[in-house]
Amino acid sequence: MNLTPGPEHFLVLGAILFTLGVIGVLTRRDPLIIFMSIELMLNSVNLTFATFSQQLGSADGQVFVFIVMTVAAAEVVVGLALIVSIFQTRQQIDVDELDQMSG
Amino acid sequence: MIVAVIHINVTLADWGSVLPELIIAGGMLLLMLVDVFVPGKKVNLTTWLTLIILALAFAASWNLWRTGGMASALYGTVTSDRFAMFFDFSILISAALAVLISPGYISTSAFDSGEYYALILGAVLGMMLMAAGLSLMVLFIALELLSLALYILSGFERFRPRSQEAGFKYFLLSSFASAFLLYGFALLYGVTGSTSLIKISTCLAGHAHGCSAAATSSPLLYIGIGLMLVGFAFKVSIVPFHMWTPDVYEGAPTPVTAFMSVATKAALFAAFIRVFSMSLSTVESHWYGALWALAIATMVVGNIAALAQSNMKRLLAYSGIAHAGYILVAMAANNALGQSAVAFYFLAYTFMNIGAFVFVAYLETTGRAGDEIASYRGIFYRNPALALPMAIFMFSLAGFPPTAGFFAKYVAFQAAVQAGHVDLVVVGVITSLVSVVYYLRVVAVMFLQPAEEAAPVEQPVPPEQPPAVEQVPASAEPVTRPQLPWNIDVGIWTAALGSIVLGIIPTGLLTYASESVTAVRALFGLP
Amino acid sequence: MTVVASIVFYVAAAIAILGGIGVVSARSPMYSGLSLILTLSQLAVLFLLLGAQFIAAAQILIYAGAVMVLFLFVIALLGVEAYPFLGRHLPGQRPLSVALAAILLAGVIFFVAENPRAITGAHSTVLQSGGNVEVFGRQLFTSFFFPFELTAPLLIVAMIGAVALSRSRRGDTNA
């Protein structure tokens, strides 16, 4: 394997980041960290798309990256809204327990 | 200085081929406007409006079906071929049935009806695009569109942390699966150099100029196929990626569960077939083995886990997993008959599965614990108009002869035999026999005398149970039957009628299904 | 690639991986989020190396900027405690998942390293001619005009969802 970075290096980096994201989703229990691990996975896919786009000399991959970014932003909005609404519901259901938690 | 002028080459015909989708998108906006500008309670208004929008979209789909649609429109990113339209029918019918049973839910749970229906239409839009997408990009956006709408709908119920947590769990696992699918798409794009399904298929068939012959043997293609398979399997709840299904089905509001249990799977399977059976058909050897193993695991685990359920929504979740297994058998056949079988299966499944959920939804709105099977004891004597259709749905799901479920399963297995996959059919038949036990248990509980003392509910089902259905109605006629709300009445009997008619005269619709498959195969240059 | 570009690649890649490790191993979501910003900014550098200038700018503005600010805002709003409503681990899930992930990674690296020409097509200068942004924009508004339009309903659904979920909370307090 050549040390001058070629497309393989970018692809391997993408694979490493994707795998880190998978590990995060599978091993962590904190919903926010799981969520951010998923974002990491999406970003590693974006890197893969951009690499192929450059390699193939077509802008299709870059357009895909752009679309993925938009989708990820929408996903973040919904996911965070769900988290906040769960949190607030719990707060109302069991105020005492939560006071202890955040106190 | 050079001024770049971009000509967007889109004709009216292009827009015409996405007319059903445009109607749904416009309807979504209209509902939001109604929500803002019409004061007071408007559950009835929005329900009717949603039904009218769905009917218009159905009419537009029917018109496209009649004319044959456009093979590819809008720069080849989307199609309106008959295959897409056939799945649109399933999606629109199941959405309409789910909307029909929603008002009771909206009034008891104090949903905001405009937002609720707008999100349902958003999900429908995503599903229709999923069935019609010809580009990996459209497929990805459509998938996220339907998923986002469903996450919110699953977590929509106030005062029920369980519903919200179901929504969030669904969100996390489903986005996880989306990331796998997307990585698979990226590798597929890298190997074939295109995001268009048709160009991918010509590249892999070795016809494309500039696409190397090594593409079909590229290791990246194997990895990409594996990742896409994981993503799809997750979304249609195939074992071993099914863990989320029972929790989400149980936690989500029942009309939403009914809708997503059928329509999501229909849309995802349409895309699954377009990507795997069509676009990747030349490399069938890469994925057939995995599909075979998934089909067997899904049928076995789904049916066995369903045996132990005491909650109707969980039972239907596992039953849905099992049915995904049968559909996978048809898909693994990878011939025209198998693909028509999948299309037909979903139409049949729409009626029988949503029918069962209508039953649960009605019992829930009447204040009973509508999803506990034990609470169905003797319901036939209290409310025969509710119990009889439910019995039909159970027989249909179990696959008894004069029903839609039987015929759908029959065609699926026939296709597998035709393709020489007898092993899959043997497993399918054996697990279907197992499924009879849990479906008939529900029927048996409904037809038991309402006992005062707590008798054990799980009684062994006597083999002469089926005939009992035919003989009891006569004696039960004088019982005062409580009046069902008209919408439940319409919903449950439409579903019952569909489950029976599709079983008795299936040939017409089966012809339609095979016409739709002919269209999509022609699009991808398959015989 | 020039020597400078090679060095930039390795530095950016190393920081990105460290950031990734930070995301999955941080004690609190706040550190996890900051690590993610680190990774995202390094990815922007890598996008530049790949000749995707527009994507690099969007990565900084949209992702590392807007999206992550939203994340950090919610983390700050909720406090840094973990909310363990996702249920317990299955026995042995942790080692099993790490092993599975390691196999996945090893597979990808092995195949890519074994078969560097796995990707079809040769280096092309199409993207460089006339500037990346112009080619990108041309594609976005012709061939991929429809997917681009489809992001509109997607964002509307996300918006309705966010409003609906926060509205139901207000209803709770009124009730």
Side-chain angles (χ1 to χ4, degrees):
Chain A
M1 209 166 163
N2 197 338
L3 273 182
T4 313
E8 312 84 84
H9 294 71
F10 284 89
L11 292 182
V12 169
L13 178 62
I16 291 172
L17 291 178
F18 189 84
T19 312
L20 279 173
V22 174
I23 291 175
V25 173
L26 292 177
T27 58
R28 299 304 301 260
R29 286 292 94 180
D30 186 308
L32 281 164
I33 293 184
I34 294 180
F35 196 4
M36 283 188 277
S37 301
I38 292 172
E39 292 300 313
L40 184 63
M41 290 166 73
L42 289 180
N43 272 282
S44 73
V45 176
N46 277 353
L47 181 65
T48 309
F49 266 121
T51 310
F52 283 132
S53 177
Q54 197 252 2
Q55 175 78 0
L56 296 161
S58 83
D60 298 19
Q62 292 188 21
V63 177
F64 217 133
V65 173
F66 187 62
I67 299 275
V68 172
M69 275 185 192
T70 317
V71 167
E75 209 176 74
V76 167
V77 167
V78 172
L80 291 180
L82 276 170
I83 291 182
V84 171
S85 106
I86 290 174
F87 183 81
Q88 303 265 358
T89 314
R90 299 204 138 218
Q91 205 168 29
Q92 274 156 11
I93 287 173
D94 204 342
V95 180
D96 296 334
E97 188 191 327
L98 215 75
D99 277 348
Q100 283 165 10
M101 262 170 75
S102 57
Chain B
M1 185 181 150
I2 304 163
V3 179
V5 180
I6 297 180
H7 296 283
I8 300 182
N9 184 18
V10 174
T11 61
L12 208 56
D14 280 311
W15 289 118
S17 71
V18 287
L19 187 61
E21 285 90 345
L22 288 180
I23 291 172
I24 298 286
M28 197 165 89
L29 296 178
L30 183 66
L31 280 169
M32 290 313 293
L33 288 179
V34 167
D35 213 29
V36 174
F37 288 111
V38 179
K41 265 205 158 310
K42 45 201 173 274
V43 177
N44 279 331
L45 174 66
T46 46
T47 307
W48 279 110
L49 211 54
T50 315
L51 285 174
I52 289 169
I53 292 161
L54 289 170
L56 282 177
F58 192 92
S61 302
W62 177 251
N63 188 45
L64 282 171
W65 169 279
R66 220 171 32 78
T67 58
M70 260 174 104
S72 84
L74 294 161
Y75 292 98
T77 50
V78 73
T79 174
S80 55
D81 63 5
R82 289 189 167 165
F83 188 68
M85 292 307 126
F86 197 86
F87 277 90
D88 281 359
F89 297 154
S90 294
I91 293 164
L92 289 169
I93 292 171
S94 53
L97 287 172
V99 167
L100 206 55
I101 58 173
S102 294
Y105 240 84
I106 291 172
S107 44
T108 55
S109 308
F111 291 164
D112 193 283
S113 62
E115 286 166 356
Y116 174 84
Y117 287 130
L119 287 170
I120 293 257
L121 289 186
V124 169
L125 178 63
M127 289 163 182
M128 291 170 78
L129 287 166
M130 198 78 201
L134 273 190
S135 151
L136 296 179
M137 255 180 246
V138 172
L139 290 183
F140 180 66
I141 300 180
L143 179 66
E144 287 300 315
L145 183 56
L146 76 90
S147 304
L148 284 186
L150 289 176
Y151 305 147
I152 302 160
L153 287 169
S154 315
F156 222 59
E157 263 184 285
R158 290 182 209 175
F159 310 122
R160 267 188 72 197
R162 192 170 201 173
S163 166
Q164 289 184 323
E165 284 171 23
F168 190 66
K169 225 179 242 182
Y170 184 36
F171 168 77
L172 280 185
L173 291 172
S174 190
S175 326
F176 187 49
S178 294
F180 274 91
L181 193 67
L182 189 65
Y183 202 15
F185 282 178
L187 295 182
L188 192 58
Y189 163 68
V191 170
T192 61
S194 177
T195 53
S196 148
L197 291 182
I198 292 176
K199 282 187 190 151
I200 288 171
S201 93
T202 47
C203 172
L204 291 176
H207 302 317
H209 173 71
C211 178
S212 92
T216 52
S217 59
S218 163
L220 290 181
L221 183 63
Y222 281 93
I223 301 174
I225 286 176
L227 289 167
M228 284 192 290
L229 211 51
V230 171
F232 274 119
F234 223 104
K235 299 274 179 180
V236 294
S237 56
I238 286 171
V239 176
F241 307 103
H242 65 289
M243 317 67 88
W244 58 273
T245 321
D247 289 341
V248 173
Y249 279 23
E250 195 190 351
T254 307
V256 175
T257 312
F259 172 56
M260 75 178 176
S261 70
V262 175
T264 316
K265 277 189 193 171
L268 262 299
F269 260 105
F272 202 179
I273 287 181
R274 242 188 240 281
V275 174
F276 277 79
S277 308
M278 300 296 151
S279 210
L280 299 174
S281 61
T282 46
V283 288
E284 189 201 347
S285 57
H286 291 20
W287 49 265
Y288 170 70
L291 217 56
W292 182 88
L294 288 176
I296 289 191
T298 306
M299 288 187 291
V300 170
V301 173
N303 280 308
I304 288 177
L307 285 174
Q309 303 306 318
S310 63
N311 178 300
M312 191 64 198
K313 278 162 96 176
R314 290 185 84 85
L315 186 141
L316 285 170
Y318 281 109
S319 129
I321 293 169
H323 281 274
Y326 307 139
I327 293 166
L328 221 46
V329 169
M331 209 188 125
N334 201 21
N335 52 20
L337 185 61
Q339 285 136 17
S340 337
V342 176
F344 182 80
Y345 209 113
F346 272 108
L347 209 54
Y349 192 60
T350 301
F351 290 113
M352 58 198 188
N353 208 42
I354 292 198
F357 277 111
V358 174
F359 174 87
V360 178
Y362 171 68
L363 288 184
E364 277 182 349
T365 49
T366 55
R368 279 190 218 93
D371 51 0
E372 286 306 322
I373 295 174
S375 73
Y376 299 166
R377 192 180 170 87
I379 207 162
F380 171 74
Y381 302 100
R382 292 197 303 274
N383 202 339
L386 204 57
L388 274 182
M390 183 61 173
I392 293 173
F393 304 139
M394 289 297 117
F395 284 124
S396 187
L397 284 168
F400 276 87
T403 58
F406 165 75
F407 202 80
K409 223 180 257 184
Y410 173 76
V411 184
F413 290 166
Q414 193 192 13
V417 170
Q418 198 185 66
H421 304 324
V422 183
D423 40 3
L424 286 177
V425 176
V426 170
V427 177
V429 170
I430 292 172
T431 52
S432 300
L433 290 177
V434 172
S435 78
V436 170
V437 175
Y438 59 82
Y439 290 125
L440 281 195
R441 200 184 72 207
V442 176
V443 178
V445 169
M446 289 195 303
F447 286 82
L448 280 178
Q449 285 291 348
E452 295 311 312
E453 75 270 284
V457 179
E458 280 100 350
Q459 295 192 351
V461 181
E464 61 271 14
Q465 198 61 36
V469 185
E470 272 89 325
Q471 40 181 262
V472 184
S475 62
E477 205 51 56
V479 177
T480 51
R481 47 173 291 195
Q483 196 65 44
L484 290 180
W486 71 267
N487 58 339
I488 298 290
D489 236 350
V490 171
I492 206 162
W493 284 105
T494 310
L497 206 65
S499 311
I500 292 285
V501 168
L502 279 183
I504 295 173
I505 35 172
T507 39
L509 277 162
L510 199 62
T511 316
Y512 279 5
S514 65
E515 269 175 35
S516 77
V517 170
T518 313
V520 67
R521 288 179 80 90
L523 190 59
F524 285 89
L526 296 175
Chain C
M1 261 185 190
T2 62
V3 179
V4 177
S6 304
I7 293 169
V8 170
F9 170 80
Y10 283 111
V11 171
I15 298 177
I17 291 173
L18 283 180
I21 293 172
V23 172
V24 301
S25 64
R27 283 254 144 253
S28 88
M30 188 59 97
Y31 292 124
S32 189
L34 292 172
S35 306
L36 187 54
I37 293 180
L38 195 65
T39 303
L40 297 182
S41 60
Q42 296 313 302
L43 284 182
V45 174
L46 294 171
F47 287 145
L48 279 180
L49 283 182
L50 289 169
Q53 293 94 348
F54 181 77
I55 295 299
Q59 172 85 0
I60 295 286
L61 288 176
I62 300 175
Y63 234 123
V67 170
M68 287 316 295
V69 165
L70 193 60
F71 252 112
L72 294 181
F73 177 76
V74 168
I75 294 168
L77 179 75
L78 301 188
V80 289
E81 287 289 334
Y83 313 106
F85 56 77
L86 288 174
R88 297 265 68 86
H89 280 288
L90 301 170
Q93 184 185 340
R94 222 171 260 250
L96 193 70
S97 57
V98 173
L100 277 177
I103 292 171
L104 175 71
L105 177 66
V108 176
I109 291 180
F110 171 75
F111 280 125
V112 173
E114 274 294 283
N115 194 350
R117 291 293 138 236
I119 316 146
T120 60
H123 259 278
S124 160
T125 50
V126 173
L127 283 178
Q128 270 67 41
S129 68
N132 163 260
V133 179
E134 189 192 322
V135 178
F136 175 85
R138 214 174 259 286
Q139 284 290 86
L140 187 62
F141 288 106
T142 55
S143 310
F144 300 111
F145 151 78
F146 188 58
F148 176 69
E149 295 282 301
L150 283 183
T151 54
L154 184 81
L155 292 172
I156 290 176
V157 163
M159 219 160 64
I160 297 174
V163 171
L165 289 171
S166 49
R167 159 98 48 88
S168 80
R169 207 167 58 247
R170 204 164 61 219
D172 278 356
T173 28
N174 290 345

